[in-house]
């Protein structure tokens, strides 16, 4: 199985800050990497697919980059509604696997 | 816009079979796409269970494959999950979702299932 790790596990940032979340795969997954945002009590929401493509309706302050084993989710200017937990997920091979999540709090 | 809604018993006894259904609206299952199940528990995080095509083809997580059965009912525009021989570790929130070429693009709200006697 491909193991996904994320760092940091949590962060606290101010409105307007640039936020970066890292995701690493245990082996190369090309660009088969997706990002989700989850708020408490809600289902995950797809943000980014194929490492860098923005899902329809997702604000342009969200962006993704990377290939191989190392990936990054960036929020260019953190907004109050961006709190929640962010997960990466690989779709390169079965079983599909998710990272443990990064919790983002607003200062 | 596609919407998904899980339904099924919230409490299942150990060794019984967990059964959930996902009703799809705003999109025809027969139009294509893979339809998936994912669960989330405090202990294991997000775990992919499997997905099914409208034709009935399936892919299951090998760790659950021996206990999982998925099916699709195009006439009712819904798909289902059965997980047999459940134990406490199967207690989780179960989500259904539509899978695009890469990601799970839309998710249901989730159904809490507790395994307990």
């Amino acid at each position: 199985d491909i193991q996904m790790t994320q760092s940091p596990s949590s962060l606290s940032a101010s409105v307007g800050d640039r936020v970066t979340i890292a995701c690493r795969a245990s082996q190369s997954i090309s660009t088969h990497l997706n990002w989700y945002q989850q708020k408490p009590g809600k289902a995950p929401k797809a943000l980014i697919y194929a490492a860098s493509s923005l899902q329809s309706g997702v604000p342009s302050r969200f962006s993704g980059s990377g290939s191989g084993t190392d990936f990054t989710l960036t929020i260019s200017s953190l907004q109050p509604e961006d709190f929640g937990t962010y997960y990466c997920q690989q779709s390169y091979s079965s079983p599909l696997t998710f990272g443990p999540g990064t919790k983002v709090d607003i200062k | 816009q596609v919407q998904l809604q899980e339904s099924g018993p919230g409490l299942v006894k150990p060794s019984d079979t967990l059964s959930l259904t996902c009703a799809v609206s705003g999109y025809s299952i027969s139009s294509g796409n893979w339809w998936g199940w994912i669960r989330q528990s405090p202990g294991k995080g997000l775990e992919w269970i499997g997905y099914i095509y409208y034709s009935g083809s399936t892919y299951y997580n090998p760790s659950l494959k021996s206990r999982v059965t998925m099916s699709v009912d195009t006439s009712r525009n819904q798909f289902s999950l059965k997980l047999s021989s459940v134990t406490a570790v199967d207690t989780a929130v179960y989500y259904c979702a539509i899978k695009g070429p890469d990601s799970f693009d839309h998710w249901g709200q989730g159904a809490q299932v507790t395994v307990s006697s």
Side-chain angles (χ1 to χ4, degrees), chain A residues 18-58:
Chain A
R18 182 181 182 88
V19 170
T20 299
I21 298 170
C23 174
R24 175 167 288 179
S26 60
Q27 66 186 71
S28 178
I29 57 171
S30 184
T31 57
H32 295 280
L33 190 283
N34 311 302
W35 289 97
Y36 303 86
Q37 175 197 61
Q38 186 178 33
K39 297 189 176 183
K42 301 294 186 181
K45 172 188 173 184
L47 297 176
I48 303 279
Y49 65 96
S52 61
S53 296
L54 207 63
Q55 287 278 356
S56 175
V58 174

Side-chain angles (χ1 to χ4, degrees), chain B residues 73-92:
Chain B
D73 185 340
T74 55
S75 65
R76 295 186 176 186
N77 215 42
Q78 63 186 34
F79 60 104
S80 299
L81 167 71
K82 292 187 184 299
L83 181 66
S84 64
S85 304
V86 297
T87 68
V89 299
D90 295 309
T91 293

Side-chain angles (χ1 to χ4, degrees), chain A residues 34 36 38 43 55 87 96, chain B residues 40 48 95 102-105 108:
Chain A
N34 311 302
Y36 303 86
Q38 186 178 33
Q55 287 278 356
Y87 296 94
L96 308 183
Chain B
Q40 185 173 32
W48 169 66
Y95 296 100
D102 289 280
S103 63
F104 291 102
D105 295 342

Side-chain angles (χ1 to χ4, degrees), chain B residues 85-115:
Chain B
S85 304
V86 297
T87 68
V89 299
D90 295 309
T91 293
V93 177
Y94 286 75
Y95 296 100
C96 60
I98 179 173
K99 184 182 178 302
D102 289 280
S103 63
F104 291 102
D105 295 342
H106 299 282
W107 298 54
Q109 66 184 26
Q112 172 69 51
V113 178
T114 300
V115 179

Side-chain angles (χ1 to χ4, degrees), chain A residues 81-104:
Chain A
E81 61 267 30
D82 297 337
F83 75 93
T85 302
Y86 292 80
Y87 296 94
C88 59
Q89 176 244 326
Q90 65 84 16
S91 54
Y92 180 78
S93 69
S94 177
L96 308 183
T97 48
F98 291 82
T102 295
K103 186 175 182 181
V104 175

